[in-house]
Amino acid sequence: MKLHFISLGCPKNLVDSEIMLAALVKGGHDLIDEPKEAEAIVVNTCAFVEDAKREAIDTILEMAEFKKKGSCKLLVVAGCLPQRYRGELAELLPEVDIFIGTGDFHKIVELIKSWDGTQHVEVGRPGYIYDHRTERLRTTARHVAYLKISEGCLHPCSFCIIPKLRGKFRSRPIESILSEAQRMLSDGVKEINIIAQDTTAYGVDIGTDFAKLLRSLSDLKGGDKWLRILYAYPHKFSDEVIELMRDRNDICSYIDLPVQHINDRILKMMKRKGDGSEIRGLLRKLRERVPGVSIRTSLIVGFPGETQKEFDELLDFMGDIRFEHLGVFTFSPEDGTPAAKLKEKVHPKIVEERMKEAMELQREISLSNNQRYLGRRVDVLVEGPSEETEMLVQARHEGQAPEFDGVVYINEGFARSGSFVTVNITEAHHYDLVGSVVD
């Protein structure tokens, strides 16, 4: 069967998509790029916030049109959206033939094969987690991969629906992770991005810890490599992990550490562990102990009851820490979360103004941070021809994660995709750098 596949959402969702893709190919399906020619279409969805839900619904309805004007006979919707609204979607989206939840996506081939022409919903309690024997059809560049080390979440953040979508926190055995990582390196992967709902909580349920896993990943043989830590929760971020980041050359001096806010009252209402002083202490420790570290975070503005003074405190915090990368999100009242029931809403116009003000501040901070690279030589991982113009080659230094952060444009010299080269930085822009290859 000719099949078209769409993956929405974060890298964690992308790993699920890659597992489904491998199973579909092994099951005899032919993957094609054009949905109009597909006999079956699969959409793996995200439902984390309102914008993600809207994108998922729009994509599903767009793909449903190919049942009328294309070759599509079967439309499958998988992932977080069915998991979140399993009792409602069947009626709301009669165009969809099969719904599959986050704990059942590995059954996709079996479900398609057994489809009898009637609408089917396969959404159980999330409990599945893949291992090193699970095949994946990686869709990233050959030299880049995502390594999911755990599934689910153990934090009760009042604004977040993830625990209900992904289930209880469950870690993969270290041996399984190392086996998969070694295979990636043997396949030519140069950058392994370590992901989970909370990477630093790894092992709490199986009697180990993230530092032990990180050290073991660093010890793997396979040539030059980068190990990058994404989605780390700031509470109980260990000194041992910081020391590994400082001492191991293959562990990027980069950390993705979503803090959400800095005001103690807001953090308490968010049900975040720790307080503002703990967050500031960790960030300053990272700055002091890991020379040149790049820190990425995400913030929420407009949380119910957020005052102008509390927002100003957040701006002061941004100006103090000067994050290399930062995303600002407006509060989204998600059904089924405690925060959605809070009554003291911030006016949408004020929320939008706060988001714009924070992003404008970050834009200037980012430019200032990038200007520090002028005249410096930095090692970069070459991605290939630029998405902007064929006249440039695109690369990233260790302080730039794929997809999320800026890039280094190479305008002079030879650089092969998937290789490490040294670049002399000649231009600094708000989010990107420009440089030439050093012979």
Side-chain angles (χ1 to χ4, degrees), residues 216-339:
S216 298
L217 286 168
S218 176
D219 288 338
L220 291 177
K221 306 302 180 185
D224 293 337
K225 67 178 183 294
W226 278 353
L227 299 171
R228 186 184 305 280
I229 306 169
L230 300 177
Y231 309 111
Y233 199 93
H235 183 62
K236 292 187 177 179
F237 192 98
S238 76
D239 286 350
E240 196 172 358
V241 170
I242 294 175
E243 290 165 5
L244 285 167
M245 291 174 63
R246 179 195 63 200
D247 298 338
R248 300 286 182 116
N249 291 332
D250 58 355
I251 299 176
C252 293
S253 297
Y254 179 102
I255 189 69
D256 174 25
L257 199 78
V259 300
Q260 312 305 354
H261 214 282
I262 195 61
N263 176 264
D264 287 346
R265 189 183 74 89
I266 296 295
L267 288 169
K268 187 175 181 180
M269 291 176 67
M270 288 180 168
K271 294 188 177 179
R272 300 282 287 181
K273 294 179 181 177
D275 56 22
S277 63
E278 184 177 338
I279 292 171
R280 290 178 185 274
L282 171 60
L283 293 168
R284 286 172 178 152
K285 188 187 296 183
L286 281 163
R287 291 281 192 222
E288 292 167 1
R289 297 189 185 180
V290 185
V293 66
S294 291
I295 306 174
R296 178 178 183 82
T297 197
S298 60
L299 304 174
I300 296 175
V301 297
F303 193 84
E306 182 190 54
T307 65
Q308 183 63 43
K309 183 178 180 181
E310 289 164 341
F311 173 66
D312 289 341
E313 183 181 350
L314 191 63
L315 294 180
D316 290 342
F317 169 65
M318 290 173 57
D320 180 27
I321 301 300
R322 304 188 70 77
F323 293 98
E324 281 69 24
H325 311 287
L326 182 145
V328 179
F329 299 89
T330 57
F331 171 72
S332 179
E334 298 302 315
D335 295 338
T337 64

Side-chain angles (χ1 to χ4, degrees), residues 371-386:
Q371 287 172 338
R372 296 178 306 182
Y373 284 93
L374 286 172
R376 287 177 49 189
R377 293 185 174 190
V378 298
D379 293 332
V380 300
L381 178 59
V382 182
E383 296 187 314
S386 165

Side-chain angles (χ1 to χ4, degrees), residues 9-11 14 140 146 383 396 401-405:
C10 66
L14 180 63
T140 51
Y146 291 105
E383 296 187 314
R396 287 178 292 106
E403 301 182 54
F404 305 117
D405 304 329

Side-chain angles (χ1 to χ4, degrees), residues 30-31 50 75 111 122 129 142 169 204 223-224 237 360:
D30 298 319
L31 302 180
E50 188 60 37
L75 178 58
L111 292 170
E122 188 79 13
I129 184 167
R142 182 173 181 268
F169 185 80
V204 67
D224 293 337
F237 192 98
E360 185 56 37

Side-chain angles (χ1 to χ4, degrees), residues 78-222:
C80 293
L81 195 69
Q83 191 69 39
R84 184 168 182 179
Y85 299 107
R86 54 185 174 274
E88 307 167 43
L89 282 188
E91 184 177 345
L92 291 173
L93 294 171
E95 305 92 338
V96 177
D97 301 296
I98 302 176
F99 292 100
I100 310 174
T102 58
D104 299 284
F105 67 86
H106 59 293
K107 303 175 185 175
I108 188 168
V109 174
E110 170 192 334
L111 292 170
I112 289 177
K113 186 177 181 179
S114 62
W115 181 61
D116 61 3
T118 62
Q119 193 178 62
H120 180 76
V121 178
E122 188 79 13
V123 180
R125 180 176 295 179
Y128 172 77
I129 184 167
Y130 82 103
D131 63 25
H132 60 286
R133 297 165 297 184
T134 308
E135 295 183 37
R136 284 173 56 186
L137 180 59
R138 288 195 288 107
T139 58
T140 51
R142 182 173 181 268
H143 54 277
V144 176
Y146 291 105
L147 179 65
K148 192 191 288 192
I149 62 174
S150 65
E151 185 57 272
C153 188
L154 47 70
H155 302 295
C157 302
S158 66
F159 56 86
C160 185
I161 197 71
I162 290 297
K164 294 184 179 180
L165 300 182
R166 291 288 176 172
K168 294 180 179 180
F169 185 80
R170 49 205 187 274
S171 302
R172 294 175 57 191
I174 283 185
E175 295 75 16
S176 176
I177 297 170
L178 294 178
S179 180
E180 184 182 16
Q182 187 66 72
R183 185 166 64 247
M184 288 176 173
L185 295 174
S186 299
D187 288 343
V189 171
K190 300 295 184 183
E191 177 182 14
I192 295 178
N193 294 279
I194 305 167
I195 60 173
Q197 298 302 332
D198 175 8
T199 50
T200 44
Y202 172 80
V204 67
D205 56 330
I206 58 173
T208 186
D209 58 58
F210 182 61
K212 181 178 180 180
L213 171 64
L214 190 59
R215 185 182 299 103
S216 298
L217 286 168
S218 176
D219 288 338
L220 291 177
K221 306 302 180 185

